[in-house]
Amino acid sequence: MPTLSTPLRTPPATRPMSPLSLVAVCLGYFMVILDVTVVTVALPELGGALHAGVTGLQWTVDGYTLVFAGLLLFCGGLGDRLGARTVFLAGLAVFTLASAGCALAPAVAVLVVARLVQGVGAALLVPASLALLRAACPDPASRARAFGLWGMVAGLGAGAGPVLGGVLVTALGWRSVFFVNLPVGLAALLLTLRWVPRSPAAPARTGLDIPAQTAAAVSVAALATGCIEAGPLGWTHPAVLGAFAVTLLGSAAFLFLERRSAAPMLPPALFRNRAFSASAVIGVLLNTGFYGLLFLAPLYFQQVHHYSALRTGIALLPAVGLVAAGSALGGRLTARTGPRPPMVAGLAVGAAGLAGWLCAAPDTPYLALVAPMAAAGFGTALTMPASTAAVMDAAPGERSGAAAAVFNAARQLGSVLGVAVFGTLTAAGLVPGLHTAVSAGAAGFLVAAGLAARYVPGTAGTRTTGR
């Protein structure tokens, strides 16, 4: 293995991924996930410091995720066209610089703008990281294990986020939760430049489809806007109904433009594979329930039980502390059994965990919520590498960037809906809204389990034809 004294050089395209290459790829995704859970714990203090209400806090979270979701398809195609390594490096640079902008924001409006730019960086680096893993692991079994490691590292970010956020907020203030991205991003950049092999670009026929991408981004943004503003304005307010109308028009325009495009950024052939389509829907339902819970749980602990930021971070450990173990186990099971069994089992366990939050009340002891949090986190983590493998196995190699983008766009759309809808449901009261939200999330997990049982292959490496 090369030593630290090895001269800095550009890796050749034919060189396989080394362990340090895998570390570099995983660090980028680690930073994206760490940012979600770190920010969640910091929301109450951030809101007080910048005089932001619940709507402002929702935009702080969803401003990031809606841009992330809206641009993933474009950035996945960009990775296929320019090479995954190039786009991954660009994403790291944008995300790291935007994190500095978040940390220095003087007002909530500036913070939201910086979070939008963070979303651009995340959209660039996440599908590119999956495409790099796909290229490095040509057989389904090794690919499933790599996706399990990728998910485990993300789980470490999710698990470290609440505790690290609580420590940072308590010791240094809310701005420090964004500054922490700077050393992580710099390390990932240096490791990528030194160790990650160049990836080949697709032929020029792979189009970027700017008009369709614009329609998709507008549709996602309008959907998030309608869900968020429904809380303070009401679901029948003209502005909310107008946002949902724009969502429908944007979606129709996107489908129309894609059908007419000679080089669509979202090839319709991908969706003829039932495993691919079902896994994309599962991604939406999975993130809606889990990240919606991660948005409401800190508010519940801090506003109902009056926990400090540090105590809140520690209290969330059962929800996120098992994510790493669940992801590693999910990857191993997927390599052995195929994606269906871990997906069905994980979604069933996650549904039970979400439903367990129905016992949450102003006088509920903390210990009563430990098992529901653990089940929700472990079930989500067990599902994630299996669903990732199902999507990537169903797509041809030359479309790996687009496939990764579709799956991650579906997941981030779920995150947007989880935060927006779950937050809106609390307008009439935090505890009643929490009960309604977790009931909806548990039902979504059960629907996802049914889709996995019906359409996802149960043998490692099996491809469904879609017929």
Side-chain angles (χ1 to χ4, degrees):
M1 178 177 292
T3 65
L4 292 178
S5 61
T6 304
L8 184 66
R9 62 190 180 280
T10 302
T14 57
R15 180 177 156 205
M17 260 193 174
S18 70
L20 286 177
S21 303
L22 188 59
V23 170
V25 171
C26 290
L27 266 181
Y29 193 49
F30 172 87
M31 186 168 59
V32 171
I33 299 301
L34 178 73
D35 197 71
V36 173
T37 52
V38 163
V39 171
T40 298
V41 174
L43 286 176
E45 179 167 323
L46 184 158
L50 298 182
H51 308 290
V54 172
T55 300
L57 298 181
Q58 286 176 293
W59 277 114
T60 299
V61 177
D62 267 354
Y64 168 65
T65 50
L66 74 86
V67 172
F68 190 3
L71 291 181
L72 272 167
L73 296 177
F74 173 78
C75 293
L78 194 66
D80 288 339
R81 182 165 186 169
L82 302 180
R85 180 178 181 268
T86 300
V87 174
F88 183 73
L89 284 167
L92 286 173
V94 171
F95 192 94
T96 304
L97 291 173
S99 296
C102 291
L104 299 172
V108 69
V110 179
L111 175 61
V112 169
V113 171
R115 292 282 284 168
L116 298 179
V117 181
Q118 269 192 320
V120 175
L124 287 165
L125 70 88
V126 170
S129 70
L130 277 175
L132 289 170
L133 287 180
R134 164 76 182 256
C137 305
D139 65 284
S142 65
R143 189 158 58 241
R145 288 190 292 269
F147 290 150
L149 178 61
W150 185 75
M152 183 183 71
V153 171
L156 291 174
V163 177
L164 179 61
V167 171
L168 290 173
V169 169
T170 301
L172 302 173
W174 67 267
R175 296 182 188 276
S176 61
V177 304
F178 295 108
F179 276 128
V180 75
N181 289 331
L182 273 60
V184 178
L186 181 61
L189 276 167
L190 294 177
L191 286 171
T192 302
L193 286 169
R194 182 174 181 127
W195 296 109
V196 175
R198 280 196 302 267
S199 51
R205 62 179 175 80
T206 305
L208 297 182
D209 213 352
I210 301 296
Q213 169 58 42
T214 301
V218 168
S219 181
V220 172
L223 178 61
T225 300
C227 291
I228 289 174
E229 297 300 331
L233 299 179
W235 290 95
T236 59
H237 191 278
V240 174
L241 295 177
F244 292 145
V246 172
T247 299
L248 294 175
L249 291 174
S251 300
F254 172 75
L255 294 174
F256 175 77
L257 291 168
E258 286 291 88
R259 288 178 178 175
R260 292 175 59 89
S261 175
M265 69 174 177
L266 186 58
L270 286 177
F271 289 94
R272 287 196 284 270
N273 186 300
R274 293 180 179 177
F276 181 90
S277 299
S279 297
V281 174
I282 290 167
V284 174
L285 298 172
L286 187 70
N287 274 37
T288 297
F290 185 63
Y291 283 96
L293 176 64
L294 282 186
F295 179 76
L296 291 186
L299 298 179
Y300 170 79
F301 286 129
Q302 294 190 1
Q303 294 182 11
V304 177
H305 289 287
H306 308 292
Y307 285 8
S308 66
L310 177 58
R311 190 177 179 186
T312 298
I314 296 172
L316 289 173
L317 273 179
V320 294
L322 293 176
V323 170
S327 295
L329 178 60
R332 288 196 295 269
L333 288 176
T334 301
R336 181 179 303 173
T337 68
R340 185 199 300 154
M343 287 176 74
V344 173
L347 289 163
V349 171
L354 286 167
W357 272 82
L358 290 172
C359 74
D363 57 350
T364 300
Y366 170 74
L367 289 178
L369 297 172
V370 169
M373 284 191 287
F378 183 79
T380 299
L382 190 66
T383 306
M384 189 52 60
S387 55
T388 303
V391 165
M392 299 304 286
D393 284 348
E398 68 275 10
R399 288 296 187 181
S400 60
V406 169
F407 181 61
N408 281 285
R411 288 181 55 210
Q412 296 311 314
L413 178 60
S415 298
V416 169
L417 292 175
V419 172
V421 175
F422 281 27
T424 297
L425 291 173
T426 65
L430 180 56
V431 172
L434 174 63
H435 290 169
T436 304
V438 296
S439 298
F445 268 49
L446 291 177
V447 170
L451 290 173
R454 176 67 178 85
Y455 296 113
V456 174
T459 303
T462 300
R463 286 180 181 267
T464 56
T465 64
R467 292 189 295 270

